[in-house]
């Protein structure tokens, strides 16, 4: 046996986020004074400023929900992350795949899959590991190949780099909507349509022009997703699971064989 490999490709949620940002963020779109009201700018200028604001954030709260093309159970993510790779939150894998709690500080990561997660894996090994954990976190190095895929979800710096690399698209039609409110916050919606896909990004109209939400619908293959951004530059909580709620991943491997 090779141990309790948590083979979750966390890049899936990153792709969802980038899908929206790469479809909307358009750079190099003319000049505007820094003190211009955001809703007085062109769609491209707003997208430019929003992309810059997002790339400049040191930490944030990310929340995603993505419905598969077959209409199955959505996958979800709820994470507070920072540029240093610290994070805390959870990933919902959709369907009968269960969910996983995750805490990462530096190179150490704690993960706690739920009972459904283990049921969806190898029945013998899954049952053994679930019994060993008994509701506790599994602890190991973020570079451990059994945990690295999951730990990669905490890399805000890498996410921001992807956003930057994909922010120069000029595909489809980009339009600016009328200023409105989103959960009581003034925003300006930007809408891009391309090949049947509609991406709507709501940009804060006061303070820094952060993107606050991105909705993606349609396209081929069909992609329905929502990504919400909040708590910019607020630190990731430093609390980590205590020793009595933790089992080392190597100890688990030995006991599960």
């Amino acid at each position: 046996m090779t141990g309790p490999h948590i083979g979750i490709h966390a890049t899936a949620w990153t792709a969802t986020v980038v899908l929206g940002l790469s479809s909307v963020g358009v750079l190099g779109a003319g000049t505007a004074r820094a003190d211009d009201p955001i809703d007085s700018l062109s769609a491209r200028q707003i997208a430019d400023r929003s992309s810059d604001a997002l790339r400049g954030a040191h930490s944030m709260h990310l929340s995603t929900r993505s419905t598969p093309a077959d209409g199955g159970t959505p996958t979800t993510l709820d994470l507070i992350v920072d540029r240093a790779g610290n994070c805390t939150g959870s990933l919902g894998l959709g369907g009968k795949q269960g969910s996983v709690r995750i805490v990462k500080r530096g190179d150490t990561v704690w993960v706690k899959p739920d009972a459904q997660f283990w049921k969806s894996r190898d029945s013998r090994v899954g049952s053994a590991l679930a019994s060993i954990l008994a509701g506790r976190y599994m602890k190991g190095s973020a570079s451990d190949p059994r945990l690295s895929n999951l730990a990669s979800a905490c890399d805000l710096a890498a996410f921001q780099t992807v956003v930057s690399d994909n922010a120069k698209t000029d595909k489809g039609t980009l339009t600016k909507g009328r200023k409105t409110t989103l959960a009581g916050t003034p925003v300006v919606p930007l809408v891009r349509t391309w090949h049947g896909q509609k991406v709507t990004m709501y940009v804060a109209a006061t303070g820094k022009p952060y993107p606050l939400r991105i909705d993606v619908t349609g396209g081929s293959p069909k992609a329905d997703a929502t990504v919400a951004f909040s708590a910019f530059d607020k630190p990731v909580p430093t609390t980590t699971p205590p020793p009595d709620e933790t089992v080392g991943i190597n100890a688990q491997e030995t006991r599960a064989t």
Side-chain angles (χ1 to χ4, degrees):
M1 177 180 171
T2 58
H5 190 288
I6 310 298
I8 303 168
H9 291 283
T11 51
W13 70 262
T14 304
T16 298
V17 178
V18 172
L19 175 64
L21 287 172
S22 66
S23 298
V24 177
V26 183
L27 300 178
T31 59
R33 297 195 309 271
D35 58 350
D36 284 338
I38 195 73
D39 56 319
S40 71
L41 305 180
S42 70
R44 292 190 173 216
Q45 289 169 337
I46 295 172
D48 185 358
R49 290 195 181 182
S50 182
S51 178
D52 287 345
L54 186 68
R55 292 201 308 269
H58 294 280
S59 60
M60 68 180 71
H61 180 189
L62 281 170
S63 177
T64 75
R65 181 181 179 87
S66 177
T67 303
D70 62 6
T73 305
T75 57
T76 61
L77 176 140
D78 192 283
L79 278 184
I80 303 173
V81 295
D82 66 20
R83 285 187 185 176
N86 303 308
C87 79
T88 182
S90 63
L91 293 89
L93 308 179
K96 297 181 179 180
Q97 299 300 304
S99 63
V100 180
R101 292 284 307 171
I102 179 170
V103 177
K104 182 175 177 291
R105 297 296 301 180
D107 188 50
T108 304
V109 61
W110 295 257
V111 298
K112 184 165 70 171
D114 66 4
Q116 187 59 51
F117 175 92
W118 292 122
K119 288 179 181 178
S120 69
R121 268 55 187 176
D122 178 277
S123 58
R124 182 186 68 83
V125 176
S127 296
L129 291 174
S131 177
I132 292 168
L133 279 173
R136 293 174 292 181
Y137 282 84
M138 182 164 50
K139 178 183 178 182
S141 169
S143 59
D144 189 309
R146 295 165 293 183
L147 299 172
S148 57
N149 279 340
L150 184 58
S152 66
C154 300
D155 195 343
L156 176 60
F159 162 67
Q160 290 171 314
T161 298
V162 172
V163 172
S164 177
D165 290 346
N166 285 275
K168 296 181 180 180
T169 184
D170 197 20
K171 298 175 182 177
T173 302
L174 179 67
T175 59
K176 178 181 75 171
R178 298 181 63 179
K179 186 164 72 171
T180 183
T181 59
L182 181 68
T185 300
V187 293
V188 177
L190 299 180
V191 179
R192 178 174 292 282
T193 55
W194 186 60
H195 284 191
Q197 183 181 82
K198 178 181 178 182
V199 179
T200 305
M201 180 167 72
Y202 298 90
V203 179
T206 58
K208 288 188 178 181
Y210 289 119
L212 301 183
R213 195 177 80 195
I214 296 173
D215 295 330
V216 183
T217 59
S220 181
K222 188 173 183 290
D224 289 341
T226 295
V227 184
F229 305 86
S230 61
F232 296 98
D233 291 331
K234 292 185 178 180
V236 175
T238 58
T239 302
T240 58
D244 63 349
E245 295 181 14
T246 299
V247 177
I249 189 171
N250 290 327
Q252 270 199 130
E253 177 176 351
T254 300
R255 294 170 63 185
T257 53

